[in-house]
Amino acid sequence: MAKAKPFIKWVGGKSQLIEQLDAQLPADFGNWENVTYIEPFVGGGAMLFYMLQRYPNIQHAIINDINPDLATCYRTVRDNPEQLIESLMDIENAYLALETEEGRKDFFMAARDRYNEKNLDPIKNTTKFFSNIVCRNYNIN
């Protein structure tokens, strides 16, 4: 089985703290039965994915985040992955079809402006959410 990893990079991620946080768990945590893992500030999900892979006794996970777009993103990935992939491919193809950097910048700015209006359906919102994160992480804008 493929190892699940965070699909977005998030400010304040817990990736570097995983071993320290894991050491704080009770020594017999792996032996507990029917565990529900709760993470109130999931962010990129580094700790979530680690816990789910390390501890097969976790039967349920409840995640939350104060950022409504991030919460929408997780629900969309969970509930509508095929439609999201199609939407992401559409925006990628439209972006890559543009031949100039100026055209690509204008495309990104228009997508960002549309995202910032905050009245998109979950698929379009998550698509533009991803594109904003990618551009921010690569300093594109």
Side-chain angles (χ1 to χ4, degrees):
M1 183 189 310
K3 182 178 177 185
K5 295 190 247 181
F7 50 85
I8 54 175
K9 197 171 199 175
W10 201 252
V11 174
K14 300 172 206 78
S15 296
Q16 292 85 3
L17 301 173
I18 287 176
E19 289 180 21
Q20 294 166 302
L21 294 170
D22 190 22
Q24 300 301 311
L25 294 172
D28 65 342
F29 182 78
N31 298 325
W32 295 8
E33 293 183 21
N34 198 22
V35 173
T36 297
Y37 175 76
I38 300 171
E39 184 156 352
F41 305 106
V42 74
M47 192 71 192
L48 167 71
F49 290 112
Y50 170 81
M51 293 294 289
L52 292 174
Q53 291 174 82
R54 173 102 162 84
Y55 297 102
N57 56 326
I58 296 175
Q59 299 298 305
H60 305 281
I62 299 170
I63 63 172
N64 190 46
D65 202 281
I66 196 167
N67 184 316
D69 292 321
L70 183 60
T72 297
C73 175
Y74 275 103
R75 280 192 299 275
T76 302
V77 168
R78 180 193 68 198
D79 298 341
N80 300 297
E82 295 86 9
Q83 295 96 321
L84 177 60
I85 290 168
E86 185 177 317
S87 181
L88 288 166
M89 289 172 60
D90 288 346
I91 199 169
E92 177 186 38
N93 291 336
Y95 178 81
L96 294 176
L98 299 168
E99 296 182 8
T100 66
E101 278 305 307
E102 189 62 32
R104 288 181 174 184
K105 182 176 181 179
D106 291 344
F107 180 87
F108 167 75
M109 296 303 283
R112 186 174 74 176
D113 289 345
R114 182 73 177 98
Y115 167 76
N116 286 334
E117 291 174 12
K118 299 297 180 205
N119 60 354
L120 299 169
D121 69 67
I123 301 289
K124 288 187 180 10
N125 190 78
T126 300
T127 299
K128 290 178 176 35
F129 178 73
F130 274 133
S131 68
N132 279 314
I133 289 173
V134 168
C135 290
R136 195 170 346 153
N137 287 337
Y138 292 99
N139 292 320
I140 302 170
N141 60 14

